[in-house]
Amino acid sequence: MIAAAKAKPGELSIGYGGNGTAMHLTAALFNQMGGVSTTLVPYRGSGPVTADVVAGHIPLGITDGPSAMGQIKGGAVKPIAVSSLQRTPSLPDVPTFDELGLKGYESIGWYGVIAPAGTPPDIVATLNQAFVETLKEPEVIERIRSVGAEPAPMTPAQFSAFIRNETAKWAEVIKVSGTRAD
């Protein structure tokens, strides 16, 4: 998600939560897909980015839901867009980058459960079924959404394909941008 403060004329910089982080890659992807060259400003985490957007020290920040949700709900920052392909239920009035014209732009944080190679398929299936059922429980969905995230249960095959696609996508962003971790 990108949140905004008042920008000075002629200046466009984006704060993000540290070199080599997902937020850094999100900013690099924005520059690449948008054909722009904004100044990318590293911070030590999303919280400080949000704080500096609120204080007006930086015009734009790429942050995560938990770091910004309180400031968004309180009106201290204005979310410009979410980086998922679909609008998020926690911010239903905030458009996606895709909706704003940056077609296909997607950068999402995600978590998953993996098992060692060679784990028997029946064990994997049993564990997956338990996680999928849990992620469909209304109280679990609400808890996840309350921090600006969205549950996305998948089959093991879907998750494997997702990981392969994400790895290839971000490897290309890193290669093109020359991104390096600190």
Side-chain angles (χ1 to χ4, degrees):
M1 139 184 359
I2 288 191
K6 294 179 182 173
K8 295 176 185 170
E11 292 183 11
L12 189 56
S13 57
I14 300 175
Y16 61 89
N19 287 334
T21 64
M23 303 304 172
H24 185 187
L25 296 178
T26 298
L29 181 65
F30 175 79
N31 276 352
Q32 286 175 23
M33 289 184 70
V36 297
S37 184
T38 61
T39 301
L40 304 183
V41 182
Y43 280 76
R44 292 184 182 265
S46 293
V49 172
T50 303
D52 269 8
V53 170
V54 170
H57 298 303
I58 191 158
L60 299 169
I62 293 183
T63 187
D64 54 21
S67 296
M69 199 60 72
Q71 300 294 347
I72 291 168
K73 300 279 185 196
V77 294
K78 176 182 174 44
I80 295 172
V82 294
S83 59
S84 54
L85 282 176
Q86 290 81 35
R87 290 188 183 206
T88 179
S90 58
L91 296 169
D93 297 329
V94 179
T96 67
F97 282 99
D98 186 82
E99 289 175 299
L100 295 176
L102 200 55
K103 295 297 179 195
Y105 182 91
E106 180 181 39
S107 177
I108 56 171
W110 53 272
Y111 297 92
V113 178
I114 58 173
T119 301
D122 60 321
I123 301 278
V124 171
T126 300
L127 289 170
N128 180 257
Q129 181 180 0
F131 282 110
V132 167
E133 287 175 11
T134 300
L135 289 172
K136 290 180 179 178
E137 293 178 10
E139 58 274 2
V140 173
I141 292 169
E142 179 56 35
R143 176 81 174 169
I144 292 170
R145 286 180 175 167
S146 73
V147 296
E150 186 66 25
M154 299 179 194
T155 67
Q158 290 169 325
F159 189 50
S160 292
F162 175 80
I163 291 171
R164 281 191 302 277
N165 290 338
E166 286 286 285
T167 301
K169 171 183 169 178
W170 295 115
E172 183 64 19
V173 170
I174 291 166
K175 179 181 167 188
V176 170
S177 70
T179 299
R180 293 204 183 351
D182 283 343

